[in-house]
Amino acid sequence: MEYFITLAKIVFILTFQFGLMPLFIWLERKGSAYIQDRRGPNRAAILGFTLGGLFHVIADAVKMFVKEDSIPENASKILFSLAPAMVVIPALLTFAVIPFGNILVLGERVINLQAVSLNVGILYIFAISSMGVYGIFIAGWASNNKYSLLGGLRAAAQMISYEISLGLSIIGLLMIYQAIDLQVIVQKQGFLFGGIIPAWGVVVQPLGFILFIVAGFAEVNRTPFDLPEGESEIVAGYHTEYSSLKFAMFYMGEYINMVVMSALITTLFFGGWQVPFLFNDGFRFYSWFLALPPIVVTLLQVSSFALKVMFFCWFFVWTRWTLPRFRYDQLMRLGWKVMLPLALANIFITGILILLFG
């Protein structure tokens, strides 16, 4: 029975990730059209129907399948073919330790709504997600193209630089919650200051949140930090030579990484599955109490998690079509001279406050 429960949780997570991907491809197109005042996918019609621009998403999928899958003559064929999978697989594995709910009680069975329960969950995420850079760098090197190589080198330097700030930005959060298990961190965010204000990570660590979300943009290579692709400078960077399904896998990896980063921001800083004033024993608002069935509470928690993740995915899209791309020297200067000192200062200040106020 445990195997079926674990399998069901894995299927749910994969469905959630792959289900959001086409939704946000469509949202990216529509969002860019509205934000930049363009027509966007609003005019193409079949028999007079536009379906809100969905034809473009369908056309993208069909195009990826039917395009010729070419490999450059002087490329390293094995590594060239392996690189896209090395980008997608770590992105999929990362979601395994992110809790999408608290517990579900079915009879005598208690189900933890988390595919894999690890007491070192946050360390697992950093360990697995850091493997994605190998796929990008290998893609750039194996293509035997100078633009691709430059994109791979940029990706490696960028991810190493910002992973340091990304990791340091949550140290203060871990010091406050005294846990690295993501489920425990979310549970501790259910506490209410003064019975009103949720003890979410963004409340107790506002500077850590700002640092984390900026570093998160750099980690997923989204504008304004999409320097590894940089179309105006290096054609398309590390995936210049890719086409068909191999290119689609890089495209897929970017959106899955966006979903994972949104889920991580939600989990660490916005209460994860927590709904303010909602607990497993019912619904409580100040002194008013109304009992709810546990299954209803679980559905509300999972829905809360999904809505928060979708909001931050939209935030990624919104930012991409609002801000211009950084210069590479500006990117490095921001990472090493601004974010790293601020992350260290945040740890120092948090330690002092914990020492003074417990």
Side-chain angles (χ1 to χ4, degrees):
M1 187 64 181
E2 292 295 333
Y3 294 107
F4 289 107
I5 292 173
T6 302
L7 180 62
K9 289 190 285 188
I10 292 173
V11 170
F12 173 81
I13 288 173
L14 292 177
T15 303
F16 183 73
Q17 289 177 289
F18 284 110
L20 283 183
M21 188 177 61
L23 171 64
F24 283 102
I25 292 174
W26 170 79
L27 187 63
E28 185 109 60
R29 286 180 173 273
K30 297 289 285 188
S32 64
Y34 286 121
I35 291 170
Q36 297 191 346
D37 194 23
R38 302 185 302 178
R39 289 282 185 173
N42 301 316
R43 299 173 66 184
I46 296 179
L47 300 177
F49 296 99
T50 62
L51 293 182
L54 289 177
F55 286 132
H56 284 70
V57 180
I58 298 170
D60 282 342
V62 173
K63 180 175 65 177
M64 294 300 179
F65 277 99
V66 301
K67 265 192 170 184
E68 180 184 0
D69 185 9
S70 61
I71 299 178
E73 183 178 353
N74 296 320
S76 175
K77 292 179 174 55
I78 295 177
L79 293 178
F80 185 87
S81 301
L82 185 62
M86 293 179 67
V87 172
V88 173
I89 292 174
L92 292 172
L93 293 177
T94 305
F95 212 100
V97 297
I98 297 178
F100 51 89
N102 189 12
I103 57 173
L104 176 62
V105 180
L106 296 176
E108 297 182 354
R109 188 177 298 276
V110 178
I111 302 172
N112 184 23
L113 298 181
Q114 187 180 17
V116 180
S117 181
L118 294 178
N119 58 0
V120 291
I122 194 66
L123 298 180
Y124 167 87
I125 286 179
F126 284 122
I128 298 298
S129 62
S130 64
M131 299 297 291
V133 68
Y134 290 103
I136 293 177
F137 182 76
I138 288 174
W141 181 82
S143 298
N144 194 31
N145 178 300
K146 61 182 179 181
Y147 296 115
S148 299
L149 181 60
L150 284 172
L153 291 171
R154 283 184 172 192
Q158 178 173 319
M159 290 190 179
I160 290 171
S161 301
Y162 280 83
E163 273 185 358
I164 296 173
S165 298
L166 190 75
L168 291 176
S169 66
I170 65 167
I171 297 297
L173 196 73
L174 304 182
M175 292 165 64
I176 292 173
Y177 294 132
Q178 297 184 1
I180 55 176
D181 184 339
L182 291 175
Q183 187 68 283
V184 175
I185 291 174
V186 175
Q187 289 169 351
K188 290 190 176 184
Q189 292 181 67
F191 176 77
L192 299 175
F193 293 120
I196 301 176
I197 303 174
W200 289 358
V202 68
V203 176
V204 299
Q205 281 285 289
L207 178 58
F209 164 68
I210 294 171
L211 294 172
F212 187 87
I213 200 168
V214 173
F217 272 93
E219 284 296 295
V220 299
N221 296 328
R222 294 283 295 185
T223 307
F225 301 120
D226 62 336
L227 277 301
E229 300 174 18
E231 296 92 341
S232 59
E233 304 165 15
I234 51 175
V235 185
Y238 61 92
H239 56 62
T240 297
E241 298 290 352
Y242 283 88
S243 61
S244 189
L245 289 179
K246 291 188 179 69
F247 174 78
M249 290 181 72
F250 284 117
Y251 203 54
M252 185 188 308
E254 178 181 331
Y255 279 93
I256 293 175
N257 276 321
M258 185 171 71
V259 174
V260 170
M261 186 57 67
S262 298
L264 202 52
I265 294 169
T266 296
T267 300
L268 293 174
F269 293 98
F270 284 86
W273 44 260
Q274 291 278 3
V275 182
F277 320 114
L278 180 66
F279 305 93
N280 271 354
D281 58 352
F283 188 86
R284 182 163 52 203
F285 186 75
Y286 300 105
S287 59
W288 181 67
F289 178 84
L290 174 65
L292 285 176
I295 187 65
V296 175
V297 174
T298 298
L299 290 174
L300 288 173
Q301 290 173 343
V302 174
S303 299
S304 172
F305 175 79
L307 288 173
K308 292 174 186 176
V309 171
M310 291 174 69
F311 169 79
F312 283 106
C313 285
W314 162 246
F315 182 74
F316 274 91
V317 172
W318 181 22
T319 304
R320 175 178 181 178
W321 299 102
T322 303
L323 299 179
R325 181 183 297 128
F326 279 50
R327 289 200 321 262
Y328 197 74
D329 61 306
Q330 293 174 329
L331 177 80
M332 291 291 106
R333 188 183 304 116
L334 176 65
W336 290 108
K337 294 186 177 181
V338 178
M339 294 190 60
L340 181 59
L342 284 176
L344 293 172
N346 184 57
I347 296 172
F348 181 72
I349 294 170
T350 302
I352 291 177
L353 293 175
I354 292 174
L355 183 64
L356 293 176
F357 302 105

